[in-house]
Amino acid sequence: MAWKTDTLTGWGRVLSGSAQIARPEKPSAIARVVADTPAPAVGAQRSYGDPAINTDGKAIDMNRLDRFISFDAKTGVLEAEAGVSITQMLQTFAPQGWMPTVMPGTGFATLGGCIANDAHGKNHHGVGTFGQYVISIELIGADGKTKTVTPKKNKTLFEATVGGLGQTGIIISAKIQLTECSSRLIQVDERRATNLSEFMDMLKSSTATYCVGWIDGTANGQSLGRGILEEAELTKSNMAPKLRKSRKVPFNAPSFALSPPTVRAFNRMYFNRVPATGRGVLRSLEDFFFPLDKIHDWNKLYGKRGFHQFQCVLPDDTAERTLREMLRLIADSGLASPLAVLKRTGPGRAGPLSFTMEGFTLALDFPNSAKSIKLVETLNEMTTEAGGRIYFAKDSLATAKQAHAMYPELAAWQKTVKTADPKGHFKTDLVRRLKLRDSK
Amino acid sequence: MSETWIVLGASSSMGRAFARKVAAEGAHVVLAAREKDDLARTAADCTSRGAPSATPVVFDARDPKSFAPIYKAAKKNEGIINAAVFVGSMAPQADVDADPNIGDFTIQDNFTGPANFLHGLAPIMESRKGGTVLGIGSVAGDRGRIGNYTYGSAKAGFHTYLSGLRNRLNRSGGHVVTVKPGFVDTAMTWGIEGMFLVASPDQIADDLWKAHLKKKNTLYTPWFWRYIMAIIKSIPEPIFKKLSV
């Protein structure tokens, strides 16, 4: 197998590292590579920090293993290779009446990546995480042998793999349960929330299948935590949606593009765009589930300095108090970008390293700077103290101590991983940075 | 009614990308490649994406006996039969220099093999009154260069064959596109130094489909290779023979 020296970069473009990368196109080829040179798998490189970076090491690019293996149109069970993207699944099977049960905020994410991060979507409060719909996984271990992992046959290994950041082996394909999809059009109701407690009440009492909130990270005082609540239900229309054309960010944007006054003005406009009485709009599934995918390379909008995404989940008992403090700190700093999300999460999770818990999740982007690093570090500490968690798929700044405190089942996970990969071949920069495979 | 596409070289990156493209358009596919082990999976991929049928068949450009089962599989479907030919091999020029017999294989894989296959297919296409042949040549066939002129000359021969076949099939409503791709991001070019302006197989597949619909005669893909090659072709021979481009 040919190895190519290339740079692996997180989506936030702050962390990157050079690695030698192999890109097999057949399952037999990948088995041969792993038997010879076990190395972590990388997919679409949509994690923000360093879970798919292996500086000065090796990596196996899974993007060319992207075929559907079987699909049962009666039951909605799909088996596919790990490099298949969520968009590919949606676009292929929605016309046949099926779609992935859980879809993360970008359709570029791969099947393997969604399992390894136990991704969640806009319906988490109702259905849980991606991993809960995985029926079986074909996993190549550090010994180069492929085995079928299911929640029944080898429960511990299955759970350690789902959300396991690739540490138990390479996921080459998986069988998942799709969900029925009545239409390719979705009805979205948008309503204003004028402050944080109103917003949280609206999110908590929402009965919509899909529910997500945009939050204004620049609003302060009376309007602290204001935003727009989006509740959505699939329609019954069988018409094909009109898809917007995709565009590309051609070069790094200058730093003033996301300076505090621009963001404040933009956010005010974005909030006021929805009338005080609310409104309903009809969107294509792609536009609703993957709002930014139409703008290719949107991460370049932050310029060459890159950005950090902070995403935490907070349990109900501490959520409101902590969110209020966090938002005040964020608004005072003036560092937030317009991309900010507040969402209700349910109890669903599939593995010991899964991110979600019942409560609220907040996600915000900050252009990279010494000040924003300091702010995110503070937010990480507040999350730890509030009994919450940071999402590994987004993180670039948490500490090992915080990670160990946030994920109490880590020790049990480590035991399984130690058996699966005793020599640590599948370690990545994130695993080393957060000492996820060390006892403390 | 669904058309049929024969994809020769269906386990190559470009062949795979094109097979799934035509599958999504609702065509029957006949997938031919040298190794069968992985073809069944590509076939399953095609049916998931909308192909009414997908038949894997073993094909070896150096073995004319392997041609008939492909014709047979295609003829089973009614309607128009099309073919996209992605087969080929590129032995490094240095290997050919060391053992001239290797040159024969290069010519068989890139020229005589696929040309003979198409020659057997032509009467079948004519009887069905239509169909497109997408013949994958190469920009390397536009001029003999020191780096790969055995490969280049085989491709040039294939280009000339395609031009003649276009002339012939045109009379029965058929069409031939001579395709000249530049650098494509495939397993063959992975990790090779000096690659630039590399296109993805999906990009090439989209271009091929458009060229088929528009009945283009010659397609450079991506498009700018037409101009790069125009420059290379226009260099006078007294100067060109001293260059190593």
Side-chain angles (χ1 to χ4, degrees), chain B:
Chain B
M1 196 189 343
S2 291
E3 299 195 352
T4 299
W5 275 91
I6 298 171
V7 181
L8 228 50
S11 50
S12 69
S13 320
M14 268 193 278
R16 244 196 220 183
F18 186 73
R20 59 168 61 168
K21 175 92 195 163
V22 294
E25 298 287 343
H28 292 275
V29 288
V30 176
L31 303 168
R34 205 158 39 201
E35 282 163 33
K36 204 175 178 176
D37 69 326
D38 197 58
L39 265 189
R41 186 169 276 193
T42 301
D45 184 44
C46 287
T47 43
S48 300
R49 285 168 198 269
S53 78
T55 319
V57 199
V58 174
F59 167 80
D60 183 352
R62 299 177 198 174
D63 177 15
K65 282 201 288 295
S66 71
F67 299 175
I70 303 172
Y71 303 143
K72 202 173 140 204
K75 276 202 284 194
K76 249 190 251 155
N77 306 319
E78 284 175 39
I80 298 286
I81 296 173
N82 307 277
V85 180
F86 295 94
V87 289
S89 67
M90 190 162 67
Q93 189 64 43
D95 291 4
V96 182
D97 296 346
D99 177 7
N101 289 323
I102 292 176
D104 271 357
F105 291 133
T106 302
I107 288 161
Q108 262 186 314
D109 293 347
N110 294 291
F111 176 25
T112 51
N116 292 344
F117 172 84
L118 289 173
H119 220 67
L121 182 66
I124 304 168
M125 290 180 69
E126 283 169 332
S127 72
R128 302 272 176 112
K129 299 267 174 271
T132 298
V133 170
L134 294 170
I136 310 303
S138 170
V139 293
D142 277 4
R143 197 158 191 185
R145 296 177 299 113
I146 188 149
N148 62 357
Y149 57 95
T150 303
Y151 172 77
S153 60
K155 286 291 191 186
F158 191 48
H159 295 166
T160 308
Y161 176 79
L162 291 170
S163 145
L165 187 65
R166 173 159 48 242
N167 207 311
R168 169 177 170 182
L169 290 184
N170 183 48
R171 286 148 219 257
S172 58
H175 185 63
V176 177
V177 187
T178 307
V179 184
K180 300 180 184 179
F183 295 136
V184 187
D185 186 11
T186 65
M188 213 169 28
T189 58
W190 179 254
I192 292 182
E193 292 199 17
M195 291 283 145
F196 56 93
L197 301 169
V198 179
S200 75
D202 286 327
Q203 225 174 313
I204 304 286
D206 283 343
D207 271 6
L208 289 176
W209 184 251
K210 274 185 219 145
H212 153 66
L213 294 180
K214 286 189 181 164
K215 290 191 180 253
K216 284 206 176 183
N217 296 314
T218 304
L219 171 75
Y220 283 87
T221 171
W223 56 272
F224 46 75
W225 281 94
R226 177 178 295 276
Y227 301 96
I228 297 176
M229 293 322 291
I231 294 167
I232 290 182
K233 280 193 286 189
S234 70
I235 302 171
E237 195 66 16
I239 300 172
F240 191 80
K241 69 182 181 194
K242 293 177 194 150
L243 300 177
S244 21
V245 286

Side-chain angles (χ1 to χ4, degrees), chain A residues 144-202:
Chain A
K145 293 201 182 96
T146 307
K147 60 177 137 191
T148 308
V149 184
T150 75
K152 276 209 192 103
K153 217 166 70 187
N154 18 32
K155 186 169 186 283
T156 324
L157 182 60
F158 180 86
E159 288 177 349
T161 302
V162 175
L165 302 163
Q167 298 307 299
T168 56
I170 296 187
I171 300 165
I172 50 167
S173 61
K175 207 178 263 184
I176 60 169
Q177 178 63 55
L178 303 186
T179 206
E180 277 179 69
C181 160
S182 56
S183 169
R184 292 157 74 191
L185 288 167
I186 190 162
Q187 166 73 35
V188 186
D189 291 343
E190 298 176 315
R191 279 185 295 151
R192 287 187 190 177
T194 52
N195 60 49
L196 183 66
S197 40
E198 192 183 317
F199 207 163
M200 291 178 73
D201 284 343
M202 285 161 83

